[in-house]
């Protein structure tokens, strides 16, 4: 709410201590994620239509890196790295799209290669995309929208990260959070207004 990114050291039991670093002026900062090398943190800034990279030092300090601008008004919200760390998928809250990026783990830079809508055909309400999850093997990607009340399923090309829509599944009212189990067999979706969870089996062949 204060447009901040904070770093908290953990004690021996894993409890957070006082913040060791605070980065400010990050409009509507969302969902910081660390890459597989443990060297880069990416932060979608929904209010500035940017994805900001920070280099992560061995002492836990963050050093600001490259800022990647995305489409004006798209509202980058949540992102996931591919298992091989070569690609990043970012869900955009305000236009209901997913951007695909090539990720350079040496420089911490992003290059957009695809933008695709997650919304069902004929959807006329204002997009309000919420959550993005991938199966552990990276072959399938799922996104939710809080006005369409659907889960959009995509197949992922593991060579280039590009997405192909599989289908849309109607789900909980004002669908918000999702989780996928570590084996990639089950997806759980939560409805912010329905106050319910639904559990789905994931077809390992078709997604």
């Amino acid at each position: 709410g204060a447009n901040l990114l904070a770093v908290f050291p953990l004690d021996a039991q894993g409890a957070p201590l006082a913040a060791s670093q605070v980065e400010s002026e990050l409009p509507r900062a969302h969902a910081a994620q660390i890459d597989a090398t443990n060297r880069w943190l990416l932060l979608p800034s929904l209010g500035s239509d940017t994805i900001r990279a920070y280099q992560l030092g061995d002492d836990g300090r963050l050093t600001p890196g490259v800022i990647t601008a995305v489409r004006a008004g798209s509202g980058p919200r949540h992102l996931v790295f591919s298992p091989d760390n070569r690609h990043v998928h970012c869900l955009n809250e305000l236009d209901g799209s997913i951007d695909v990026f090539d990720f350079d783990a040496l420089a911490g830079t992003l290059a957009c290669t695809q933008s695709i809508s997650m919304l069902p055909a004929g959807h006329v309400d204002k997009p309000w995309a919420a959550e993005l999850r991938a199966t552990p093997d990276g072959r399938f990607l799922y996104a939710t929208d809080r006005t369409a009340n659907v889960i959009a399923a995509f197949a992922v090309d593991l060579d280039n990260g590009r997405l192909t829509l599989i289908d849309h599944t109607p789900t909980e009212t004002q669908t918000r959070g999702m989780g996928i189990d570590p084996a990639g067999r089950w997806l759980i979706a939560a409805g912010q207004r329905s106050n319910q969870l639904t559990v789905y089996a994931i077809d390992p062949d078709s997604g």
Side-chain angles (χ1 to χ4, degrees), residues 115-141:
S115 295
I116 187 171
S117 175
M118 64 140 298
L119 299 171
H123 181 69
V124 296
D125 292 330
K126 182 180 178 180
W128 199 19
E131 180 68 280
L132 189 68
R133 297 286 181 181
T135 52
D137 60 11
R139 294 174 55 228
F140 303 110
L141 191 76

Side-chain angles (χ1 to χ4, degrees), residues 86-207:
R86 295 190 302 120
H87 308 289
V88 169
H89 299 97
C90 184
L91 179 67
N92 299 303
E93 176 177 325
L94 302 182
D95 70 359
S97 67
I98 301 172
D99 290 337
V100 182
F101 298 90
D102 288 342
F103 177 63
D104 184 334
L106 294 178
T109 56
L110 296 166
C112 189
T113 60
Q114 183 190 22
S115 295
I116 187 171
S117 175
M118 64 140 298
L119 299 171
H123 181 69
V124 296
D125 292 330
K126 182 180 178 180
W128 199 19
E131 180 68 280
L132 189 68
R133 297 286 181 181
T135 52
D137 60 11
R139 294 174 55 228
F140 303 110
L141 191 76
Y142 301 90
T144 60
D145 183 86
R146 287 168 282 183
T147 56
N149 302 319
V150 296
I151 301 171
F154 295 88
V156 182
D157 187 319
L158 296 180
D159 290 330
N160 57 31
R162 292 178 68 87
L163 302 177
T164 301
L165 178 68
I166 299 171
D167 60 17
H168 291 91
T169 300
T171 186
E172 297 291 339
T173 304
Q174 201 165 306
T175 322
R176 185 153 186 151
M178 283 189 297
I180 295 177
D181 82 293
R185 296 182 55 217
W186 308 99
L187 182 150
I188 303 172
Q192 187 170 350
R193 293 192 62 187
S194 65
N195 302 314
Q196 293 186 145
L197 299 172
T198 299
V199 181
Y200 299 91
I202 297 175
D203 186 306
D205 297 318
S206 69

